[in-house]
Amino acid sequence: MLETLARLPEDPLLGVMAAFRRDTDPRRVDLGVGVYKTEDGDTPIPAAIQTAERELLGASTTKVYVGAAGNPRFNQAMLELTFGAGSEILASGRVQALQAPGGCGALRIGAELLRIADREAVIHVSDPTWANHVPLLGNTGLRIERYPYLDRATGGVNVPAMLAHFEALSRGAVVLLHGCCHNPTGADLSAADWEAVADVCERRGLVPFVDVAYQGLGGGLDADAFGARLLARRLPELLVAVSSSKNFGLYRERTGAIVVVSPSSERTAIAMTQLQRIARGMYSMPPDHGAELVARVWESAPLRASWTTELESMRTRIETLRASLVAEIAQRRPDVDYSFIARQRGMFSLLPLSAEEITRLRDTHHLYMSGDGRINVAGISRRNVGYIAESLAAVIR
Ligand SMILES: Cc1ncc(COP(=O)(O)O)c(C=O)c1O
């Protein structure tokens, strides 16, 4: 049986990372991997999570199964984080969350739910989008199409082209939107753009599927939830996939949730029964450890305060690095405009580089990034920002 299988090519990003590890040059810089990093290149566990973990270790008495919906206190925390504690939408009962194995798990079971609801549904993703969106959503059998998103001339969003695409869709089409910190471009929608998206979704009967993987790392916890909150207020239906990987530093603990908003609490409860069945059929139930840690941090005033302070310092570090990189490039190359980097949000920016320039940056300057020109801004430090700018200045035309 296994003889029939063909070997698949290696994920190109893994190849870049392997080349980085082999590079012994002291100037080498890893801007490839999509995890948050400190000045020293570490990806630490937030202090509040460490405290919660120590407390949990002392208090745990059982590892008995959780249900298919996961940890209810975590689900409540995710609802409050996404929509705001005491918000009207939470009080309405129109919204519920089901814990999933990371944001990836949430995207997948959300797409499975859509497929059960409508086998012919088409999911429209931004051009470009995070590469994993395509298999996560498309392996359900649903068709994936692309809508115009990045304006490569400005590094911003081509809002008119995106809205024109949405305007031409038929009722029930699904539009995948990045709630904040667009991956890979860093180009986010403004408040006015979200309003315009809500207008067209309302008019055309479109179903938004909002991917919130970086809440707190763009404009702040509330600002980054603006789009999801607005759509939930204005539209009858949407899905939200949330991840605790980046903002709670829980990557390998696989902690996330799928959130369903429907016109009524009855409809939402029905959708939750479907989601539970999907979860049972795929992995039975999600891992609890990360979810329990998030619930403990969220429920404890001092731990929550510590977490929000630490998250805010991560966010401002990224913002400062963006501004420094722009200034350092401008100093060396006043003829090129890379100011878009400072206008973008979150960990990523997509640099307008050719494949040949990306290779030259790697081979000559020891600068490693994804093959599409995506850089992880958190991989920059105050120490190497000048070197990175110098390398870019030497290569960009
Ligand atoms: C855009 C986007 N969505 C979702 C995720 C899901 O992350 P995880 O499954 O690790 O929670 C990521 C992680 O890189 C992401 O970049």
Side-chain angles (χ1 to χ4, degrees):
M1 179 74 83
L2 302 185
E3 283 171 4
T4 64
L5 299 177
R7 179 185 294 277
L8 295 175
E10 195 186 42
D11 177 339
L13 192 56
L14 293 181
V16 174
M17 292 342 300
F20 173 77
R21 282 191 299 273
R22 281 195 304 273
D23 190 336
T24 52
D25 194 285
R27 293 167 299 175
R28 67 180 189 161
V29 187
D30 168 19
L31 300 178
V33 174
V35 300
Y36 179 79
K37 291 189 189 172
T38 63
E39 272 297 294
D40 297 321
D42 303 322
T43 304
I45 307 169
I49 290 286
Q50 290 187 40
T51 305
E53 200 156 36
R54 277 193 299 274
E55 288 173 6
L56 176 62
L57 204 59
S60 291
T61 55
T62 182
K63 292 283 189 190
V64 77
Y65 295 119
V66 294
N71 184 321
R73 290 165 37 246
F74 168 78
N75 289 336
Q76 183 60 27
M78 288 302 98
L79 290 176
E80 292 177 9
L81 186 57
T82 309
F83 297 105
S87 59
E88 217 171 284
I89 179 88
L90 290 197
S92 76
R94 288 174 56 215
V95 53
Q96 282 198 50
L98 177 126
Q99 192 196 327
C104 289
L107 287 161
R108 179 55 184 266
I109 61 174
E112 294 285 352
L113 181 75
L114 294 170
R115 182 146 197 272
I116 292 170
D118 177 5
R119 295 180 71 81
E120 304 303 319
V122 178
I123 304 185
H124 297 257
V125 301
S126 61
D127 180 19
T129 196
W130 181 44
N132 237 12
H133 276 147
V134 175
L136 280 170
L137 306 171
N139 286 3
T140 58
L142 289 176
R143 205 165 88 225
I144 307 287
E145 285 186 11
R146 295 188 182 265
Y147 60 84
Y149 188 78
L150 181 66
D151 180 346
R152 288 178 196 267
T154 63
V157 183
N158 188 343
V159 179
M162 174 184 74
L163 294 176
H165 181 102
F166 291 173
E167 204 68 65
L169 298 179
S170 45
R171 203 175 170 72
V174 179
V175 291
L176 186 90
L177 300 155
H178 298 227
C180 61
C181 308
H182 187 275
N183 181 3
T185 69
D188 279 354
L189 300 175
S190 69
D193 299 338
W194 280 109
E195 293 278 3
V197 167
D199 287 344
V200 64
C201 288
E202 197 169 36
R203 210 164 37 245
R204 305 296 306 170
L206 311 180
V207 181
F209 192 167
V210 187
D211 184 3
V212 182
Y214 298 90
Q215 192 180 350
L217 289 169
L221 280 172
D222 287 324
D224 293 345
F226 179 87
R229 290 177 186 180
L230 176 80
L231 296 179
R233 262 199 320 274
R234 295 220 11 217
L235 301 174
E237 291 185 342
L238 73 143
L239 297 182
V240 187
V242 298
S243 164
S244 306
S245 298
K246 311 287 161 32
N247 54 8
F248 285 94
L250 284 167
Y251 308 86
R252 67 173 65 163
E253 301 294 356
R254 312 310 301 130
T255 313
I258 179 77
V259 176
V260 175
V261 180
S262 90
S264 69
S265 54
E266 293 75 24
R267 277 275 132 218
T268 300
I270 290 168
M272 297 311 284
T273 66
Q274 292 281 349
L275 280 173
Q276 291 193 39
R277 178 175 292 181
I278 295 165
R280 274 197 297 274
M282 290 178 79
Y283 51 80
S284 187
M285 62 194 65
D288 185 55
H289 189 68
E292 177 61 27
L293 297 179
V294 170
R296 282 171 179 255
V297 168
W298 191 252
E299 289 165 0
S300 148
L303 290 187
R304 198 198 291 194
S306 154
W307 171 69
T308 45
T309 306
E310 193 168 341
L311 183 61
E312 184 59 13
S313 73
M314 291 159 69
R315 189 187 77 76
T316 50
R317 176 169 175 278
I318 292 172
E319 233 170 45
T320 308
L321 288 168
R322 285 184 173 280
S324 315
L325 183 60
V326 170
E328 297 276 351
I329 295 173
Q331 222 175 55
R332 291 164 175 89
R333 287 291 300 269
D335 57 316
V336 302
D337 182 8
Y338 264 48
S339 61
F340 63 87
I341 294 175
R343 290 190 296 275
Q344 295 172 342
R345 286 273 169 84
M347 300 204 326
F348 304 115
S349 275
L350 196 65
L351 304 186
L353 299 169
S354 67
E356 185 260 325
E357 288 165 337
I358 292 166
T359 308
R360 204 135 61 83
L361 282 165
R362 188 183 65 211
D363 295 346
T364 316
H365 300 273
H366 312 277
L367 217 65
Y368 293 79
M369 64 183 72
S370 322
D372 56 358
R374 187 191 81 169
I375 59 164
N376 177 2
V377 177
I380 304 173
S381 72
R382 279 195 301 273
R383 279 190 307 278
N384 65 20
V385 64
Y387 175 71
I388 293 169
E390 192 182 302
S391 307
L392 287 168
V395 163
I396 50 189
R397 275 192 299 266

